[in-house]
Amino acid sequence: MMRLDSKIPSGPLESKWDRHRFSEKLVSPNNKRNLTVIVVGAGLAGASAASTLGQLGYHVSCFCFHDSPRRAHSIAAQGGINAAKNYQDDGDSVGRLFYDTIKGGDFRSREANVYRLAQVSTQIVDQCVALGIPFAREYGGQLANRSFGGVQVSRTFYCRGQTGQQLLLGAYSALCWQIERGQVTMHPRTELLDLILVDGQARGIVARDLVTGRISAHMAHAVVLATGGYSNVYYLSTNASGCNVTATYRAWKHGAAFANPCFTQIHPTAIPPGDVHQAKLTLMSESLRNDGRLWVPKLSADHRSPGDIPLPDRDYFLERRYPRFGNLAPRDIASRAVKVVCDEGRGVGPGGRGVYLDFSDVMEQQGLEVVRERYGNLFEMYHRITGEDAYQVPMRIYPAPHYTMGGLWVDYNLMSTVPGLFVIGEANFADHGANRLGASSLMQGLADGYFILPYTIGHYLATATLPPIPDDHAEAREAIQRVETRIHRLLTVKGCRTAAMFHRELGTLLWNHCGMSRNESGLTSALRAIPTLREEFWRDVMVPGSGNSFNQELEYAGRVADYLEFAELLCHDALHRQESCGAHFREEYQTEDGEPRRDDAQFAYVAAWEYREETVPVVHKEPLAFEFVPPTMRSYQ
Amino acid sequence: MTFTLKIWRQSSPSEQGRFVTYEANDVSPGMSFLEMLDGVNQRLLRSGEEPVAFDQDCREGICGSCALVINGIPHGPDQGITTCQLYMRRFSDGASITIEPWRAKAFPILRDLVVDRSALDRIMQAGGYISVNTGGAVDGNVLLIGKDQAETAMDAASCIGCGACVAACKNASAMLFVAAKVSHLATLPQGRPERARRVNAMLDAMDREGFGSCGNQYECEAVCPKRITVGFIAKLNHEYLRAGIVESGLPNEPESPYAESS
């Protein structure tokens, strides 16, 4: 029977983390060098954890499927990283960052975790400066800040529109140092395909060398998953094409609870999908909504060009529905509002999937040069992709799957329900509740990797009984056998349809039934359709080549196979949560004017799903108690 | 649109590679170059053939994975973009397009258009970092850094490590790559304590990996998707010279604790 013990320390919120650190057992320096930790993933969370654990004296084996640890998708984060520094003296504080994050997450995250995140946020920025990250500066030499969606203070630190890149390269440089020192062994182009449990503890992984196809077991004293989110389950998303759910899904099948999988963030401002060949959706920075106004024609099927539609025939729908926040309404709210007008047949562009993001007012008031200075690079990017000049005609945007708040359930120590299996960054569920605020993902990834996991994993290693195990342990041999059998199966179907065709079909199904808004009948029909699609996949997929060579199609087919199973879990969670909160909008639970209706009496809990072979997963509930911030209705009207 | 593609195929590092001609049909002008290749691969797959292997991931020009030489030019005909940011409307209908991998001694071909760029990682491991432990960092505003210096450091730091500079250089030199990292860290006060050791270690590693020397032809700058300028190679040479003076024990210029704006 699965037990969810969040291990939240007692006592005042402000001192929980300090007291917890003091009560944690330490590993002596002599013993650290005899302990090996596997870190899977080398994005912000993985690279910062691997480098810090190496520096502490552990031996670390770090795995990534890219050719270099510098390429993880953290690199694509544009806007910035939040920290409660209050450098602007505008009333920011740890408490305010905590409050904004709890409220932004629609009261579906743990107070203790979020408070700790806000506390360490200030250390993160200092650490990044020490690593040489070229944050934007003021003329006086001090760090510059910008403001971001959903908050009233200026606390976001940034490196032009490439903050994720610079933070990742900083963590990568720290990792490089530890590789050079021999503390970290890096395994690039190597993919986790299974987890190895010995006596119920996570003790290793099975990985495939993507160049040679060699499958091998790697043993350790603890395993850390830093493998990111699963937005690619929707096929089209803002994620990189390699992002996948395989590691966390495999862990789930070994007994790690999966928490709140239905909390998937749809970002409002992406370039609309074009033709069927499109492989990804490109995000346009949220900052555009500072000056751009969203509108659609008032009448459906109005095919006039935007310039010919006079003001009275336009509907500035965000300003109309949310006069207080207008075009700066939070991501979940803005995305849904876009969906509503498109569903009414008032969408613009091919297939009616798009709304205008119009800069003509600000260009008229402040001049074209001001817009060029602020957003020039984004306008250039838009032009390159669509061939349209947004200085002349309004941009068209449409929501796109972007980030997943759900992930493997972890306790306060970031350990999953499998002892010795730690989960950090986007891969865990912990800090963002039902909706993540902008500039918070970089903060969480680095908080976990630099400042939280290195402490908490020490306590586990100091207190757990971890007998030595050989690389050819029976469990390892069995896990290798499982992986080899599965690869053999994929290669021998020899059907007619490609993995991409199945992936696209699954993505469309989920987008329609478990996307921006969900309802019982849609989810039920998706739950019927997914197993059928999965059976077709295993009967009719075409994977060429062999397992013991460089075979990108084999890698991809394996990931799609996992998505075809995981999608069911996603729908189960969405179906069971009979309320609307944050990014999860159930059509049955809305107010008369179409706002989400949260149900704290019944659903103020974390839904942690347990895997059951051949039957539906079982949900376990971790109640969320709000001692310090009483839940209120989020209103942006 | 329709194109004739001449694509480099090579099934393993040891095999002799060759160009194979494929037709790309039903291409729309709004498709990216990589989406066009996806289409070719889907067709190959459906006819039971092995698809063309190429590296790609973010498809928005920042991860540095994609790496194709298109008609002889790394990342194709446009400046300041990666391969994934190239769209088919850039080509005329019916054109013939040659697609090759990065070619350099230090980048062995793994399969088709995929090369092994781990040599760049080993250069970074030799010294492309500031040796600072996690924890105990001073407040970020203790080090005042002039806006100009921060901007210059950012210009250099925007390198995505794709290796186009190497592929474009007839000496297959990695000077622009090394210059970007050395300049980024030498411009900032945090990077100053290790600047002499860093430049020597990274240049030694570059030589060891089999990259050539700079020939001052500026092809690297012309193809860099992040428009990193050869001015940073001058900065690298300056740092190298300075390191020699530091090592010789001769008096060196006094260091300001802050990076100044000019």
Side-chain angles (χ1 to χ4, degrees), chain A residues 52 55 66-71 73 75-76 78 85 87 126-127 129-132 134-135 137-143 159-160 162 165-166 169 172-173 176-177 179-180 189 211 238 240-242 275 277-280 383-387 450-451 496 498 500 542 544-545 550 552-553, chain B residues 26 28 31 35 38 42 45-46 48-51 53-60 62-65 81 85 87 89 110-111 114-115 117 121 124-126 128-135 137-141 143-145 147 150-151 153-155 157-161 177 184 188 190:
Chain A
T52 304
Q55 162 213 316
H66 294 96
D67 68 325
S68 161
R70 65 181 293 154
R71 307 213 194 278
H73 198 55
I75 207 154
Q78 299 167 355
K85 281 287 198 183
Y87 282 158
D126 297 339
Q127 182 65 32
V129 169
L131 284 166
F135 282 119
R137 297 270 170 169
E138 302 292 355
Y139 282 103
Q142 297 197 320
L143 288 155
C159 308
R160 293 186 191 153
Q162 291 144 263
Q165 181 205 20
Q166 293 308 311
L169 294 183
Y172 162 76
S173 74
C176 283
W177 181 34
I179 295 171
E180 179 73 0
R189 287 202 198 269
V211 178
T238 65
S241 47
D275 56 28
H277 306 288
Q278 188 157 359
K280 88 158 263 162
H383 180 245
R384 208 182 294 127
I385 294 173
T386 63
Y450 280 137
F451 295 111
C496 304
T498 64
M542 166 72 214
F550 191 101
Q552 291 175 317
E553 194 59 21
Chain B
D26 299 328
S28 63
M31 279 166 84
E35 283 165 359
D38 289 340
Q42 288 293 310
L45 277 167
R46 285 197 298 273
E49 288 181 60
E50 291 204 44
F54 59 93
D55 267 328
Q56 53 84 29
D57 199 36
C58 77
R59 300 213 178 192
E60 51 186 285
I62 194 74
C63 74
S65 294
I81 59 166
Q85 294 175 298
Y87 283 77
R89 67 174 74 87
L110 296 176
R111 186 185 176 96
V114 178
V115 298
R117 285 172 286 188
D121 286 317
M124 287 291 289
Q125 288 154 20
Y129 48 80
I130 293 171
S131 309
V132 56
N133 284 343
T134 305
V138 295
D139 187 273
N141 265 347
L143 283 171
L144 297 177
I145 298 169
K147 191 179 171 74
E151 293 295 323
M154 184 61 211
D155 286 342
S158 60
C159 168
I160 58 173
F177 173 81
H184 158 211
L188 297 172
Q190 304 94 303

Side-chain angles (χ1 to χ4, degrees), chain A residues 321 336 340 517-518 579-580 585-598:
Chain A
R321 287 184 64 181
R336 262 196 310 275
V340 168
S517 77
R518 296 125 186 218
E579 64 161 350
S580 294
F585 187 79
R586 279 286 297 268
E587 289 161 11
E588 303 94 320
Y589 308 97
Q590 54 181 312
T591 61
E592 273 175 18
D593 46 0
E595 298 302 323
R597 216 172 62 221
R598 209 177 63 215

Side-chain angles (χ1 to χ4, degrees), chain A residues 375-387:
Chain A
Y375 310 111
N377 59 337
L378 294 166
F379 277 55
E380 191 187 313
M381 181 165 92
Y382 183 80
H383 180 245
R384 208 182 294 127
I385 294 173
T386 63

Side-chain angles (χ1 to χ4, degrees), chain A residues 255-526:
Chain A
F258 210 110
N260 300 336
C262 79
F263 291 163
T264 58
Q265 182 170 72
I266 315 287
H267 198 294
T269 53
I271 297 176
D275 56 28
V276 291
H277 306 288
Q278 188 157 359
K280 88 158 263 162
L281 297 170
T282 304
L283 186 69
M284 302 295 288
S285 170
E286 184 161 275
S287 63
L288 288 170
R289 288 197 281 139
N290 278 306
D291 286 309
R293 297 176 71 196
L294 276 75
W295 66 274
V296 288
K298 271 196 181 147
L299 297 170
S300 62
D302 184 340
H303 296 304
R304 287 177 287 179
S305 71
D308 295 338
I309 300 177
L311 202 58
D313 291 351
R314 298 179 178 189
D315 177 15
Y316 292 87
F317 55 94
L318 280 180
E319 296 169 27
R320 170 174 58 80
R321 287 184 64 181
Y322 307 100
R324 220 153 49 82
F325 277 70
N327 295 298
L328 279 174
R331 289 176 181 177
D332 50 342
I333 302 213
S335 292
R336 262 196 310 275
V338 170
K339 181 181 182 335
V340 168
V341 295
C342 291
D343 288 352
E344 288 166 359
R346 298 193 285 143
V348 297
R353 284 175 302 183
V355 300
Y356 292 123
L357 178 61
D358 195 341
F359 291 82
S360 52
D361 288 324
V362 64
M363 283 193 281
E364 208 165 281
Q365 287 154 15
Q366 302 180 34
L368 186 139
E369 274 317 303
V370 171
V371 173
R372 195 188 299 278
E373 194 181 296
R374 280 185 201 151
Y375 310 111
N377 59 337
L378 294 166
F379 277 55
E380 191 187 313
M381 181 165 92
Y382 183 80
H383 180 245
R384 208 182 294 127
I385 294 173
T386 63
E388 289 175 16
D389 180 3
Y391 295 106
Q392 303 296 327
V393 290
M395 282 184 186
R396 285 176 297 109
I397 53 140
Y398 196 68
H402 179 56
Y403 183 91
T404 53
M405 285 72 70
L408 290 181
W409 184 92
V410 287
D411 62 17
Y412 189 71
N413 297 318
L414 305 181
M415 191 164 87
S416 70
T417 50
V418 172
L421 181 70
F422 292 78
V423 191
I424 58 177
E426 190 180 350
N428 74 25
F429 87 105
D431 297 340
H432 305 296
N435 177 53
R436 180 178 65 75
L437 290 179
S440 289
S441 60
L442 300 179
M443 172 173 71
Q444 186 226 335
L446 290 181
D448 289 0
Y450 280 137
F451 295 111
I452 300 172
L453 176 90
Y455 280 101
T456 57
I457 202 171
H459 178 78
Y460 171 77
L461 293 167
T463 52
T465 310
L466 298 162
I469 36 171
D471 277 0
D472 61 347
H473 188 279
E475 294 284 356
R477 287 202 309 270
E478 215 171 282
I480 288 178
Q481 189 61 48
R482 277 198 304 273
V483 167
E484 283 175 343
T485 307
R486 191 160 182 274
I487 287 176
H488 179 74
R489 260 186 85 197
L490 283 168
L491 288 166
T492 48
V493 176
K494 298 243 177 276
C496 304
R497 291 162 74 187
T498 64
M501 292 162 86
F502 287 100
H503 193 185
R504 193 180 299 131
E505 197 171 331
L506 175 71
T508 311
L509 185 74
L510 283 180
W511 179 248
N512 290 337
H513 297 302
C514 195
M516 270 187 287
S517 77
R518 296 125 186 218
N519 62 50
E520 188 181 336
S521 78
L523 289 166
T524 315
S525 74

